[in-house]
Every structure is written in C-alpha cells, then in structure tokens.
Amino acid sequence: MLKITTPLSEETIKSLKVGDSVLLSGRIVTARDAAHKLMVEEKPDFIREYLKDAVIYHCGPVVKQDSKGEWSFVSAGPTTSSREEPYQSTVIGEYGVRAVIGKGGMGPKTLAGLKEHGAVYLHAIGGSGSVTASRVKKVEKVFMMEEFGTPEAFWVIDVEDFPVIVTMDAHGNSLHANILEQSEKVYKDLIK
Amino acid sequence: MDLKSQILEMIRLSSTNLSTDVEEAIKAAASNEEEGSPAKNALNTIIENIALARSQSTPICQDTGALIFYVDYKAGEHEKVYIDAIGEAVKEATAKQYLRPNAVDPITGKNSGNNTGTNAPYIHFHQWDKDYTRIRFMQKGGGCENCGTQYRLPDITLGAGRDLKGVRKCIIDAIYNAQGQGCAPGIIGVGIGGDRALSHILAKEQLFRKMGERHMDPEIAALEENVLKDINKLGIGPMGFGGKTTALEVFIGYQHRHPATFYVSIAYMCWANRRKSMTIKNGEVTYA
Ligand code: SF4
C-alpha cells in the first residue's frame, strides 16, 4: 500500500498509476452537485485555500453534532461521481485540486482535465461508510450548510489512512475504460 | 415494547447489522480474488466495514436508501396502525442517525428531513391467513437502483426472444451496462411477466431471498446458477475494478403475463443488501 499526504505535489500525483492501492492522509473537502455548480458558476473564494493541492471528495455524509456544537462523521462513503462530469475538469483547474475521490469513475472530459492539470481520480470503496467515517479524524469547517443542507455542504475534514484505489491517473489512463473494453468482448460472446 | 419501538429496532438492525448470509457470501468472494488485487482490497475494506458498522451501530453505508416496507397482516387488523407506527419509527431512526434524510420533493427539491413524504416510506400491504403478522423491510440504495431496468421482449438489438434464452440475455445485458456503478458485487433480482409495474415489484421482492436459496422450479433454479456464472465471466469485479466477482446472486421470479406483453425487469441491489424481517405473534417479536 502506498501512503500519500496533503498538500500533494504534482510529482507525487504523477507517480501514481491506475490500479495502485493508496492510503490517503490530510485535508479533503466534500462536494456534490450543488457545490460543483457553485464552484463553476460563481468561483467562490472561501473554499480556495482548502482546495489548493488538496482533495475533493464526492460524498454526502451522515453527520452528528455534539452538545458543544462539534461535528463528527457517522457514515461517509462515496457517491456516484459521473454527475460532476460537466464541472469536474473546470473545478480542478480553477482551484488547483490534486485529487478527486468518488465512485464509479468519470468520463473523457475529466480524464483529459486530470492529465492537463496533474491530478488523479481515486476510487473509494462504495458503501463502506463506517470505515471511511472512522478515518475522519476531525471536521475542520463546514460551508454552505444552511443553503445546501447536510449532504450537499462543503465539509472540510482531516483524514488518516483513507483507503482508495487509483482508477484514473495523470497520464490519461482509466481503469474504467479498460474494464469496459475487456468486458465488452466477453459480453458480445455471451449474448451471441 | 410498543410497535413503533419494535420497528425502530428492525430499522437499526437493517441499517447497521448486515445479515450474515450476505456477509458470508462476500467473505467467500474475497477469498476467491487474487492477493493484492484492487478487487481483493475492495472486498477486504467492505468486510472491515461490515464488522465496524455492527460493533458501533452506525450505518453500513451512508446512503441508507429508499425505505420500503412489506406488511403481511392478519384478518381484522387495521393498516393505519402500521402506517402510523412505521412513520414514527422512521422519523426516530433518522433522528438517531440510523438513517440519512432521503425523501426529496421532486417538484420543490426540498428534502423533508425525516424520511417521510408522499409514498415515503412506501408500504406494501397484504392480508394473509396466518396467525401472526410479518413486517419486512428493505433499504434500497440510490446508486444501485439507477442500475435497474426493464426489457420488453422480443428485443431486436439483443436478439432476445420470448423465452428463457431471451431472459438470460436481458440479465447479462443489464449487468454489463451497470459495470461497477451499482457498488458491485451485486445481488440481482429478476421479474418475468406481469404488467410493467408488477414486473418491477416481483423483481425487487426476490431480493428478500436468502443467499443460495434457489427457485422451486428446477428450470429457473438452473438458469439462476448458470447466468450467475456467465455474469462473473464479464470480469467487471468489485466496484468495477476488475475481478472474478461481479455478482453474488441472481434470483428470478415469474408470474403470468398478458398474451401481448413479455417484460423482464431487473432490480440491482448493491453488496450492502440491507433487508430484515420481523414477525409478531401474541405480542412477541422475532427478528430475522
Ligand atoms: S449503491 Fe449501495 S453500497 Fe453503493 S453507495 Fe448506494 S447504497 Fe451504498
């Protein structure tokens, strides 16, 4: 298992390749549909310092607030990434994001964006909400909670040894495209 | 305990304590994948997650799904009793973080915040002749629900006719199209026959079957086994990372159809196959 920590350098990112299992530590920011739309349409500055050389996570967590007002994550697995396909590449370029975590992979536009800006797509293990929440050491901040609601807000969190797999690298390779191609051959044979 | 608390406990069990038949199937799949492969690592994380969720009583997956109840009640009982108790139990389960608020008004886009709304949770009622009541509960994730689909046979592009060979092609096609998107390895429910709506309902109800529970009809049982083997040849693997396990089970059900229609519906359930049931006899509750 490789271990990487934010802030992520372009060099570290470029050393990763499709199929690598990685444990990620450091700062990540959750962002879903509403957040991506906002980042593309209004390019807000409040989130800039948290995203530079850091990580976006497609996740709508189950959260809890204690009596002192401190937030914690109860369950926090990835959500389907393909919904952010129209926005992702622009967001990566605009904010200097080095990695995007999600599930299901993304399309050609994002793949090209990853290559252009030196970033990777990391696949979390869909459904493993309790394990991923247990790797969240601290909830630093939350933005747009009122406007977007819990699942859609920007949660700035600190993680330790968050398990992911590189499925789209900074060199134009996509595990998703490879698997699609391989399975297509078998599929055609099976339904002949 | 009152009915609401009994249902609340079933929801907690379902959301946090994956049934052992599913867990065993996932463990068997993990031992079958190559050491160090993304497939094996993914399944090992899933196994760790199942144990952790159970010990902490936290949701296995943060998408705690659409909430679907199936109530089989005794003659003379009133549905309203169950509607009220289920509604209250769902609200409390949401407040206790066993469930994420997942009921959204499609027109205003507003989340109700407590999992209730029009047809949310949805309750299928059925009166039966037994001397006890049974409530079954399913949490249907959104990601995997999007992988469900329906075919109208004959299907020319697939070359699928109105027979079991045609049905087999539909199942393989649906799983190929889903790739890893439904959080593979999936459990596949199939409904043959009925009108469009009944066909989907039948497919989804198959997901209550125990892992390894074959159809009574030997021809269907054989199809279930064979098509599962075929699906696993696709090499899509856990999460779509590649590997030997693309699906854990295929469960097929059938019902009579109109002469002019032949539907095949596919319900895709992710590995987080959260379903539980409870029976109430003389006030005594048993969970399964
Ligand atoms: S498909 Fe299932 S396991 Fe995956 S995120 Fe949705 S509910 Fe969770």
Side-chain angles (χ1 to χ4, degrees), chain B residues 113-190:
Chain B
N114 63 9
N115 272 308
T116 67
T118 307
N119 277 345
Y122 190 74
I123 311 173
H124 295 268
F125 279 106
H126 169 242
Q127 191 208 300
W128 65 2
D129 289 335
K130 307 216 159 87
D131 63 350
Y132 60 92
T133 297
R134 179 179 68 169
I135 307 179
R136 291 176 298 165
F137 173 51
M138 182 185 293
Q139 294 174 259
K140 190 64 181 67
C144 58
E145 184 71 356
N146 280 331
C147 295
T149 184
Q150 189 171 68
Y151 297 85
R152 185 184 69 190
L153 298 186
D155 184 309
I156 298 163
T157 7
L158 282 180
R162 294 181 154 191
D163 51 23
L164 289 184
K165 274 196 206 135
V167 171
R168 173 184 165 275
K169 287 187 180 181
C170 297
I171 304 171
I172 293 169
D173 185 63
I175 306 314
Y176 164 71
N177 286 324
Q179 292 286 308
Q181 299 279 349
C183 286
I187 292 132
I188 317 304
V190 181

Side-chain angles (χ1 to χ4, degrees), chain A residues 21 60 63 75-78 103-104 123 125-131 135 165 167 179-180 183-184 186-187 190-191, chain B residues 41 46 48-49 52-53 58-62 97 100 168-169 173 176 179 181 183 230 233-234 239-242 271:
Chain A
S21 292
V63 295
S75 192
K103 72 161 174 131
H123 202 300
I125 311 307
S128 57
S130 284
V131 162
R135 307 293 161 87
I165 288 167
T167 59
I179 299 291
L180 182 66
S183 61
E184 190 187 6
V186 185
Y187 163 75
L190 284 173
I191 68 154
Chain B
N41 290 341
I46 288 172
E48 186 190 343
N49 183 67
L52 189 65
T58 50
I60 297 161
C61 177
Q62 79 292 335
Q97 280 106 17
R100 184 180 76 178
R168 173 184 165 275
K169 287 187 180 181
D173 185 63
Y176 164 71
Q179 292 286 308
Q181 299 279 349
C183 286
D230 284 342
K233 286 181 196 151
L234 288 169
M239 295 298 134
F241 293 163
W271 66 260

Side-chain angles (χ1 to χ4, degrees), chain B:
Chain B
M1 249 203 289
D2 62 342
L3 182 60
K4 181 209 72 187
S5 310
Q6 291 163 343
I7 295 169
L8 177 64
E9 175 60 5
M10 177 170 65
I11 296 173
R12 187 190 69 82
L13 284 170
S14 171
S15 197
T16 65
N17 188 345
L18 194 71
S19 301
T20 44
D21 62 327
V22 183
E23 188 180 9
E24 290 308 317
I26 294 169
K27 285 186 176 161
S31 66
N32 201 21
E33 297 285 355
E34 253 168 71
E35 211 47 59
S37 64
K40 180 132 187 161
N41 290 341
L43 290 171
N44 282 340
T45 303
I46 288 172
I47 292 165
E48 186 190 343
N49 183 67
I50 294 167
L52 189 65
R54 184 179 290 137
S55 69
Q56 312 178 137
S57 199
T58 50
I60 297 161
C61 177
Q62 79 292 335
D63 179 2
T64 54
L67 313 175
I68 315 168
F69 290 85
Y70 298 73
V71 180
D72 302 292
Y73 62 98
K74 296 179 289 184
E77 288 191 307
H78 290 291
E79 291 184 0
K80 180 140 193 326
V81 172
Y82 294 101
I83 295 171
D84 291 348
I86 287 171
E88 288 309 311
V90 157
K91 284 184 203 160
E92 200 169 323
T94 313
K96 286 181 158 17
Q97 280 106 17
Y98 302 146
L99 300 175
R100 184 180 76 178
N102 267 356
V104 179
D105 182 316
I107 310 304
T108 63
K110 213 173 151 38
N111 192 318
S112 72
N114 63 9
N115 272 308
T116 67
T118 307
N119 277 345
Y122 190 74
I123 311 173
H124 295 268
F125 279 106
H126 169 242
Q127 191 208 300
W128 65 2
D129 289 335
K130 307 216 159 87
D131 63 350
Y132 60 92
T133 297
R134 179 179 68 169
I135 307 179
R136 291 176 298 165
F137 173 51
M138 182 185 293
Q139 294 174 259
K140 190 64 181 67
C144 58
E145 184 71 356
N146 280 331
C147 295
T149 184
Q150 189 171 68
Y151 297 85
R152 185 184 69 190
L153 298 186
D155 184 309
I156 298 163
T157 7
L158 282 180
R162 294 181 154 191
D163 51 23
L164 289 184
K165 274 196 206 135
V167 171
R168 173 184 165 275
K169 287 187 180 181
C170 297
I171 304 171
I172 293 169
D173 185 63
I175 306 314
Y176 164 71
N177 286 324
Q179 292 286 308
Q181 299 279 349
C183 286
I187 292 132
I188 317 304
V190 181
I192 307 172
D195 68 8
R196 284 189 182 272
L198 285 176
S199 179
H200 271 307
I201 290 174
L202 185 66
K204 195 164 271 168
E205 236 187 318
Q206 303 309 309
L207 301 172
F208 279 112
R209 277 159 66 181
K210 285 268 171 250
M211 307 297 283
E213 184 187 328
R214 294 275 66 82
H215 198 285
M216 280 176 345
D217 179 336
E219 203 182 357
I220 300 296
L223 178 61
E224 289 174 344
E225 280 176 8
N226 291 332
V227 79
L228 177 63
K229 281 192 199 128
D230 284 342
I231 286 170
N232 285 331
K233 286 181 196 151
L234 288 169
I236 294 166
M239 295 298 134
F241 293 163
K244 295 179 192 143
T245 328
T246 299
L248 296 169
E249 263 297 1
V250 175
F251 294 126
I252 303 172
Y254 63 83
Q255 58 198 345
H256 281 66
R257 60 180 176 85
H258 182 278
T261 68
F262 194 125
Y263 298 114
V264 179
S265 299
I266 312 288
Y268 193 117
M269 179 65 105
C270 52
W271 66 260
N273 184 16
R274 290 155 293 175
R275 80 281 198 256
K276 289 275 185 243
S277 78
M278 59 188 267
T279 51
I280 314 169
K281 192 172 179 176
N282 306 324
E284 283 284 308
V285 181
T286 320
Y287 296 100

